[in-house]
Amino acid sequence: MKLMSFSVNNKERYGLWVEDGVVDLQPFFPQYKTLRELIPYLHLIDESMLAGKKADYVLSEITFLPVITDPRKIICAGMNYQEKRAEFNQQERDPTLFIRFADSQTGHLTHLLKPTRSREFDYEGEMALVIGRGGANIPESQALEHVAGYSCYLDGSVRDWQHSWFTAGKNWPRTGGFGPWLVTADAIPDPQNLRIVTRLNGKIVQEDTTGSMVHSIAELIAYISTFSPLSPGDVILTGSPGGVGKKRTPPLFMYPGDTVEVEIEHIGCLIHPVGSDAISVTGSAQVNDSQVC
């Protein structure tokens, strides 16, 4: 299943992506106001309840929201691909973690906002996972059983505000793109064997497979749950491959007018035009529907 959060007439909804658009799931589950609240009960969605159901909305009628609009936690793994570690001369072997705040995110086809106070707005394409079953001290051998599903993420980095810590460079408004949807874990039998590609203005700038992670998804879940109990709807970002703009010669950064994409095999393609925080931008950008994977 492909589950998503979206808005219609500025009202938040969640639904199921189908071939001709989106099926609104909230009438089936009125007791759950957001997709995060529904996450522990995904087993209640079955084919019989959706038999013969056509899309309630087409793409042009909705605005994509971050897959999970109200996560209690967004925990991010940095330096988790070997090539990226080499670029930054990272020697520490334990997971490098930082946090994002929910209000730093935006949805598929909406504008990322380059901060006017930055000259170094960098791209980082990543796989995100959403916790489906909570727990503490989760054994690595059981960690994948706690995953509800996977999504794409553009972890925009404001490099000139990212010094010996990460928080100031990772939490500017609408610098983190999350979507387009959540592909449930049952559709991804091996999350450590997926091609991940980032494109800037149509040119590949990052390319790797999730098998190149230094710390696997299961390791990250086990490690994080040791010090912070995880809850359904919590989001974990699993790190970005090498090829980031900061370490290129000359450096390559994102500017208003650019388009950035993160595509992950069997999950989808997250697309963002880039705008500026000096200009008010609302709604969905005009991007060719055929680009929605």
Side-chain angles (χ1 to χ4, degrees):
M1 291 186 296
K2 294 177 178 177
L3 301 170
M4 55 182 290
S5 297
F6 63 99
S7 67
V8 175
N9 298 323
N10 294 316
K11 293 183 179 180
E12 181 175 340
R13 317 291 295 177
Y14 58 82
L16 176 71
W17 181 266
V18 293
E19 186 174 347
D20 56 345
V22 185
V23 173
D24 191 342
L25 290 178
Q26 281 189 290
F28 296 96
F29 304 104
Q31 66 273 41
Y32 306 125
K33 303 303 182 185
T34 66
L35 182 55
R36 177 184 62 80
E37 293 182 12
L38 179 66
I39 285 291
Y41 309 104
L42 296 184
H43 62 280
L44 298 179
I45 304 173
D46 60 40
E47 293 183 4
S48 62
M49 65 183 281
L50 299 172
K53 187 81 170 70
K54 294 185 177 180
D56 295 296
Y57 305 103
V58 297
L59 179 61
S60 60
E61 295 178 300
I62 70 168
T63 298
F64 284 84
L65 298 176
V67 173
I68 303 296
T69 59
D70 56 344
R72 292 192 174 99
K73 298 187 184 79
I74 306 172
I75 301 178
C76 314
M79 306 298 170
N80 199 34
Y81 283 75
Q82 192 55 53
E83 184 180 349
K84 174 85 172 292
R85 291 171 65 87
E87 286 177 342
F88 285 83
N89 193 29
Q90 175 75 10
Q91 303 298 323
E92 177 63 50
R93 296 302 301 176
D94 290 331
T96 300
L97 301 178
F98 59 94
I99 59 172
R100 258 195 182 272
F101 305 134
D103 61 3
S104 72
Q105 303 185 118
T106 193
H108 176 60
L109 298 183
T110 63
H111 283 79
L112 295 178
L113 297 185
K114 176 193 172 296
T116 53
R117 299 190 65 177
S118 173
R119 297 180 179 179
E120 298 185 351
F121 187 34
D122 206 347
Y123 52 83
E124 294 197 57
E126 308 197 9
M127 174 194 276
L129 67 90
V130 175
I131 294 296
R133 179 159 60 90
N137 297 302
I138 299 169
E140 185 179 327
S141 61
Q142 300 173 20
L144 294 186
E145 299 171 16
H146 290 255
V147 177
Y150 303 92
S151 189
C152 304
Y153 208 98
L154 192 287
D155 185 27
S157 296
V158 185
R159 296 289 186 196
D160 38 4
W161 281 74
Q162 183 179 312
H163 311 294
S164 58
W165 65 96
F166 295 99
T167 302
K170 294 287 189 176
N171 284 287
W172 296 70
R174 292 175 61 173
T175 56
F178 189 9
W181 40 61
L182 182 76
V183 176
T184 51
D186 61 303
I188 308 290
D190 185 1
Q192 300 290 178
N193 187 31
L194 304 176
R195 180 174 179 258
I196 178 170
V197 174
T198 307
R199 301 182 189 90
L200 183 60
N201 298 324
K203 179 182 178 181
I204 292 177
V205 289
Q206 293 180 291
E207 184 173 15
D208 209 327
T209 73
T210 55
S212 296
M213 290 182 191
V214 176
H215 301 286
S216 70
I217 292 165
E219 288 180 82
L220 291 174
I221 293 171
Y223 182 84
I224 293 167
S225 69
T226 303
F227 67 84
S228 180
L230 294 170
S231 301
D234 286 350
V235 179
I236 297 176
L237 307 188
T238 59
S240 177
V244 296
K246 176 71 172 179
K247 293 301 181 178
R248 289 176 175 264
T249 304
L252 178 65
F253 296 116
M254 297 188 292
Y255 295 95
D258 289 342
T259 298
V260 62
E261 306 169 51
V262 180
E263 184 170 2
I264 303 178
E265 185 179 13
H266 300 309
I267 295 177
C269 186
L270 172 67
I271 304 172
H272 290 288
V274 180
S276 168
D277 65 0
I279 302 171
S280 177
V281 182
T282 60
S284 295
Q286 296 301 309
V287 180
N288 190 324
D289 289 3
S290 66
Q291 291 180 277
V292 182
C293 302

